[in-house]
Amino acid sequence: MDKKIIVNCDNRATRVALLEKGKLVELDIERPLQYRVVGNLYKGTVANVLPGMQAAFVDIGLEKNAFLYVDDVSSDWDDETPPMARSSIDKLLKVGEEIMVQVIKEPYGSKGARVTGQITIPGRYLVLVPGADYIGVSRRIESQAERERLRREVENLKPEQLGLIVRTVAEGVESEVMAQDLQFLVQLWNRILTRFQQKTAPSILYQDLSLTCRIARDLFVEEFSSFLIDNEHEYDKVREIVDYISPHLKSKVKLYQEVEPIFERYGVEKEIEKALARQVWLKSGGYLVFDETEALTVIDVNTGRYIGRRNLADTILKTNLEAADEIARQVRLRDIGGIIIIDFIDMSIEDHRCKVIDKLNNSIKSDRTKTYVLGLTNLGLVEMTRKKVRQDLSEYLQRACPYCGGSGRVLTPLVISTHIESQLKEELKEEKSKAVLVEMHHEVAAIIIGSGGGNLKKLEDELGRHIFIRGTEDIHLERHRIVARGSHKEIQTLALPVKAGEIHDLIIEEPHSSNPNHGIARIQGFVINIEGAGEKVGETVKAEIKDVNRTFARAVLRDK
């Protein structure tokens, strides 16, 4: 499989894209003013202890206090010890106590970071686990013989009172190389302990590497064909760390110097746009729909334009198999965490259901984040869970709409017209000018003016002044603004968008309600009644303005 790492750096952010077979599968973003805190070690002060929640809040110097659960306080717990038999949080921690913690989840929304007292310090081939006394081997190393070899090698290296986890990239690595990695980690841990004694809380004790260096340390292995970077400073940093940890890979690190932006050259920008879309099309013509809530993500699979060639069951199977592969990629790319529910197209054949589940399980194997497929529910839905470590991609690149509050829906023009009429009555109650010009969205303007200006006339009679309405597309559907005040003549001159004798190209939107032989067009919400255009709905016609009234104009067709 052809795999590439593509890095784009500027003064706003560093973006790292992972490509497999030319397709974007992961995207990491790190901003200078919004640096990553996962993996950092802090000396913190216990701010609150909550026995009812079996948790504590720790001040580590961030905007919000970090959350520490009882099971994360110490690494001394045995997996066989029942949770109810473990000590209560108020026996383990006291308010004001200074402790060392590590961030395991980024702050998210209204929640602070989540921290643990079970410290892990990653190297290239090993992860150091202070306070533990065990050896673990990555489950991604599938060869049992290799797992046993690595365990034997590391047992000979392991210091007392320090646990070790063998990383996936250690597969095939000799003992001498791992010993060098361990020496670096032990020295780093000793420096962290010294800082803990010297610094006052809250303070940072250890900050993980920058994004590009983390990728080089954790991800860059022989199977990657290239590591392309478009920034010379980052390029030099990566070359330096690769020269230390994997010198044989140094030739694959390359500086991108083409004129075309690197993310456009490799199609990453387009893939990012797709990853932010609610709907994702499949090659067959089917499509996926992603709906995210605070508690879970729901993915719906549809056949769309795909009608198949043989029978319905085969059509559904093909769509679901393609969807399973794309869902695994999208979940990884969007970095969706938590509970995931997938509504595949209903399959009546048991063998087809098994094939789809197997396809999904195989497709998620390349995901570095822990992901589990829990199987089908009684309703035929597939349940998945994926560890949530940080905000998903949409949280980095988007924000909730300030108009709809994130609901994705706005009021209809009819409802909005009622609201705006009420607001105008309040705003113009004490108005001294004889006339006003009000701008609003053209769809709302048409409703407030009404057929023949009837609605507007009632509003004017109620308020005792002339109101001119100008429709526009340059204003939000739910907003309006009073743009001019003055005498009737001044506002009328300013408000009417057309004059008698002018010729305009107009789109016929609908037939006239009382005379179907005439067609209705609009300019800025201003109604143009065009004689003889009732059968030209949807067409663009040339019309000459004959008469201009305050709420509409009369026009006749002209030859093009």
Side-chain angles (χ1 to χ4, degrees):
M1 180 187 294
D2 179 37
K3 300 174 73 172
K4 290 184 176 69
I5 298 171
I6 309 294
V7 181
N8 166 237
C9 301
D10 57 31
N11 58 358
R12 295 182 297 275
T14 297
R15 301 186 296 171
V16 177
L18 172 59
L19 273 60
E20 294 180 357
K21 296 181 180 178
K23 299 182 75 172
L24 179 65
V25 294
E26 285 187 30
L27 180 70
D28 282 294
I29 302 172
E30 190 170 78
R31 295 188 178 95
L33 299 178
Q34 192 181 9
Y35 66 91
R36 179 181 187 266
V37 296
V38 166
N40 292 355
L41 295 178
Y42 293 87
K43 182 176 184 178
T45 304
V46 178
N48 302 93
V49 177
L50 307 173
M53 294 178 61
Q54 283 297 290
F57 286 96
V58 184
D59 178 10
I60 59 174
L62 300 181
E63 184 179 353
K64 296 173 183 173
N65 288 343
F67 179 83
L68 175 64
Y69 185 59
V70 63
D71 285 359
D72 295 324
V73 173
S74 169
S75 58
D76 297 333
W77 303 124
D78 189 318
D79 286 342
E80 296 179 359
T81 306
M84 294 302 292
R86 298 173 183 172
S87 298
S88 176
I89 189 75
D90 54 349
K91 293 181 180 179
L92 296 171
L93 296 174
K94 303 297 179 186
V95 173
E97 183 179 350
E98 294 183 340
I99 59 175
M100 184 189 301
V101 292
Q102 185 171 34
V103 177
I104 56 175
K105 280 189 180 180
E106 296 270 2
Y108 179 75
S110 61
K111 300 177 182 177
R114 182 168 175 179
V115 295
T116 179
Q118 302 173 27
I119 309 301
T120 58
I121 305 173
R124 170 64 167 174
Y125 302 107
L126 301 172
V127 177
L128 188 69
V129 189
D133 194 20
Y134 65 84
I135 294 172
V137 180
S138 170
R139 294 177 182 176
R140 291 183 178 273
I141 299 176
E142 297 180 354
S143 168
Q144 189 60 35
E146 177 63 8
R147 292 172 62 87
E148 291 174 0
R149 181 192 76 83
L150 289 168
R151 189 179 294 276
R152 287 194 306 270
E153 299 283 5
V154 173
E155 280 178 351
N156 296 328
L157 300 174
K158 190 182 85 64
E160 292 184 6
Q161 301 303 314
L162 293 175
L164 291 173
I165 299 172
V166 182
R167 306 189 71 174
T168 308
V169 293
E171 188 171 5
V173 173
E174 297 300 323
S175 174
E176 294 78 11
V177 178
M178 289 189 288
Q180 184 181 9
D181 197 34
L182 177 59
Q183 182 182 6
F184 167 77
L185 290 172
V186 172
Q187 291 174 351
L188 176 58
W189 173 238
N190 290 333
R191 289 199 298 271
I192 290 170
L193 289 175
T194 302
R195 289 173 193 157
F196 184 80
Q197 297 299 324
Q198 295 174 343
K199 291 196 171 189
T200 57
S203 59
I204 187 167
L205 304 175
Y206 165 76
Q207 185 170 341
D208 206 357
L209 298 174
S210 65
L211 176 57
T212 48
C213 293
R214 287 200 311 273
I215 293 295
R217 179 193 68 193
D218 299 340
L219 194 62
F220 190 39
V221 291
E222 286 81 358
E223 61 190 85
F224 284 89
S225 61
S226 58
F227 193 144
L228 295 172
I229 308 170
D230 68 355
N231 179 281
E232 191 168 0
H233 176 66
E234 289 295 321
Y235 165 76
D236 291 337
K237 282 167 56 179
V238 171
R239 292 261 297 180
E240 184 178 345
I241 194 170
V242 171
D243 190 36
Y244 174 73
I245 61 175
S246 301
H248 62 289
L249 297 176
K250 192 174 178 182
S251 61
K252 293 185 177 182
V253 181
K254 299 173 183 177
L255 180 64
Y256 182 84
Q257 295 177 299
E258 303 296 328
V259 175
E260 185 180 11
I262 190 169
F263 269 26
E264 292 184 12
R265 166 68 178 80
Y266 288 94
V268 176
E269 295 290 8
K270 290 182 179 179
E271 287 296 324
I272 293 174
E273 289 180 16
K274 292 179 183 177
L276 295 174
R278 180 171 177 261
Q279 185 170 300
V280 176
W281 285 96
L282 305 173
K283 283 185 178 179
S284 65
Y287 64 91
L288 311 175
V289 178
F290 288 77
D291 284 307
E292 296 185 46
T293 70
E294 192 168 340
L296 54 82
T297 299
V298 178
I299 306 171
D300 187 33
V301 182
N302 298 278
T303 53
R305 298 188 297 259
Y306 181 58
I307 57 174
R309 293 183 179 180
R310 297 174 61 186
N311 55 55
L312 179 60
D314 287 342
T315 300
I316 291 173
L317 175 62
K318 179 176 171 58
T319 304
N320 282 340
L321 288 172
E322 187 183 3
D325 193 46
E326 184 63 21
I327 285 169
R329 184 177 83 95
Q330 288 291 332
V331 165
R332 185 178 170 193
L333 172 56
R334 295 170 188 239
D335 210 358
I336 298 171
I339 302 169
I340 303 168
I341 302 295
I342 307 171
D343 185 9
F344 284 106
I345 304 167
D346 289 341
M347 294 169 285
S348 57
I349 302 174
E350 178 64 26
D351 181 55
H352 287 186
R353 290 196 289 267
C354 292
K355 284 182 179 179
V356 171
I357 296 296
D358 289 344
K359 180 68 172 178
L360 186 60
N361 275 309
N362 289 330
S363 297
I364 64 171
K365 283 183 178 179
S366 54
D367 193 342
R368 291 182 294 146
T369 302
K370 289 182 181 177
T371 307
Y372 300 99
V373 177
L374 305 178
L376 282 162
T377 69
N378 291 335
L379 295 174
L381 305 174
V382 174
E383 294 179 320
M384 283 176 61
T385 62
R386 188 171 185 271
K387 187 176 180 181
K388 193 174 188 69
V389 177
R390 58 182 181 176
Q391 298 177 353
D392 59 32
L393 186 65
S394 63
E395 291 294 327
Y396 278 102
L397 302 179
Q398 295 176 315
R399 65 171 185 171
C401 171
Y403 295 108
C404 69
S407 70
R409 304 176 73 86
V410 294
L411 298 172
T412 64
L414 184 61
V415 175
I416 294 167
S417 68
T418 303
H419 290 179
I420 290 179
E421 278 193 23
S422 298
Q423 292 166 8
L424 284 174
K425 288 176 183 177
E426 188 65 30
E427 293 167 3
L428 300 177
K429 189 186 300 180
E430 305 298 329
E431 180 63 48
K432 295 180 180 179
S433 302
K434 294 293 184 182
V436 294
L437 173 58
V438 185
E439 274 192 349
M440 61 190 69
H441 193 273
H442 65 90
E443 291 184 48
V444 180
I447 295 172
I448 289 184
I449 291 172
S451 178
N455 293 346
L456 183 58
K457 182 67 168 62
K458 290 179 183 178
L459 183 62
E460 288 181 319
D461 291 344
E462 187 174 342
L463 293 171
R465 59 184 43 80
H466 298 286
I467 301 173
F468 290 85
I469 305 292
R470 177 190 290 167
T472 176
E473 293 185 355
D474 299 329
I475 190 170
H476 189 270
L477 190 67
E478 297 179 357
R479 300 287 183 263
H480 73 280
R481 52 179 173 252
I482 299 174
V483 296
R485 294 173 167 87
S487 66
H488 178 267
K489 186 176 182 180
E490 290 171 338
I491 300 303
Q492 179 173 276
T493 302
L494 188 64
L496 301 179
V498 295
K499 295 180 180 179
E502 292 179 346
I503 297 177
H504 293 269
D505 289 327
L506 302 170
I507 298 176
I508 307 302
E509 297 179 7
E510 57 190 324
H512 193 285
S513 57
S514 59
N515 188 347
N517 187 47
H518 295 180
I520 297 296
R522 290 182 177 87
I523 297 178
Q524 299 176 355
F526 188 78
V527 174
I528 313 292
N529 179 14
I530 306 173
E531 297 177 1
E535 296 182 354
K536 296 184 179 294
V537 174
E539 297 181 23
T540 299
V541 301
K542 193 175 290 292
E544 180 183 348
I545 307 299
K546 288 298 186 180
D547 301 313
V548 180
N549 300 298
R550 204 159 59 77
T551 58
F552 76 97
R554 186 177 63 83
V556 295
L557 292 170
R558 281 288 175 260
D559 295 333
K560 293 187 178 182

